[in-house]
Amino acid sequence: MPGSRPYLFLDIDGPLNPWSAKPERRPAGYTTHRMKPEGWIAQHPGKPRAYVKPLRVWLNPDHGPRLLALADRYDLVWATTWGAEADTFIAPVLGLPKLPFVDWPEMYGEGPDGTFWKTRHLVAYAAAAGRDFAWVDDDLGDADRSYVAAHHPGSALLHYVDPRLGLLDADFAALAAFASAPSAAV
């Protein structure tokens, strides 16, 4: 897969929105946003839109420039349940351009061999373009790494991000290191 830039698959809730941080203690550097994406509205069936309490999202505006700095070595792709709404709600806050997104053929449930439900779809997405990839998410484990090693012919970095903390300096360093010298290790 040499010659093509790797994908950087971006999850939102966890890496960009540290949803699991203590509700009364917004992490340093983050700002609070209240949003009503369609995916959130759909989780409240039968409730009029006006009565659905907005979703609290914490975003760090410094993440946008740091992701754009990686965009000279990666093609950034939303890999989130937010889908196209990531461009409407998240990208403007972070100063990101419109990005492609993975259009999940199915969401949720368990993947093969105990993997996270996204794993097989991201492997297929990368394989269709013949690309290596890095993926930041808060739902990664050993089963996902084993699956990618067995089913993806190129290099991949599956990088767990603590959903209480979001992306940190060490996470950006790991992404930059992988882009500079991809290895087969997942």
Side-chain angles (χ1 to χ4, degrees):
M1 300 188 182
S4 296
R5 295 183 333 165
Y7 287 129
L8 173 51
F9 292 127
L10 298 167
D11 183 32
I12 292 175
D13 296 317
L16 295 174
N17 170 29
W19 63 269
S20 191
K22 292 183 178 181
E24 68 280 356
R25 304 201 83 198
R26 180 178 63 211
Y30 285 81
T31 55
T32 302
H33 304 270
R34 305 286 179 191
M35 302 176 177
K36 284 190 178 183
E38 290 303 316
W40 179 247
I41 299 296
Q43 291 182 34
H44 301 85
K47 197 170 198 178
R49 176 183 288 276
Y51 292 104
V52 174
K53 184 178 175 181
L55 176 65
R56 183 218 57 202
V57 178
W58 286 329
L59 296 170
N60 185 332
D62 292 338
H63 285 166
R66 295 189 79 178
L67 289 168
L68 288 174
L70 290 171
D72 66 345
R73 294 179 270 177
Y74 286 102
D75 286 333
L76 306 178
V77 178
W78 294 120
T80 174
T81 58
W82 287 70
E85 289 188 301
D87 284 328
T88 303
F89 291 95
I90 306 302
V93 175
L94 298 179
L96 294 174
K98 183 176 180 179
L99 300 176
F101 64 95
V102 177
D103 190 12
W104 309 108
E106 61 180 299
M107 289 197 289
Y108 308 111
E110 189 174 297
D113 304 319
T115 60
F116 183 43
W117 67 267
K118 291 181 183 179
T119 306
R120 68 176 178 252
H121 303 302
L122 294 181
V123 168
Y125 189 99
R131 302 279 192 99
D132 295 336
F133 68 90
W135 172 22
V136 292
D137 207 304
D138 62 322
D139 273 311
L140 297 170
D142 291 338
D144 303 292
R145 288 179 180 80
S146 295
Y147 183 89
V148 171
H151 295 90
H152 182 63
S155 297
L157 170 68
L158 277 64
H159 190 78
Y160 172 81
V161 176
D162 188 327
R164 296 169 300 162
L165 305 173
L167 287 168
L168 301 172
D169 290 343
D171 303 312
F172 284 102
L175 292 168
F178 177 78
S180 298
S183 67
V186 292

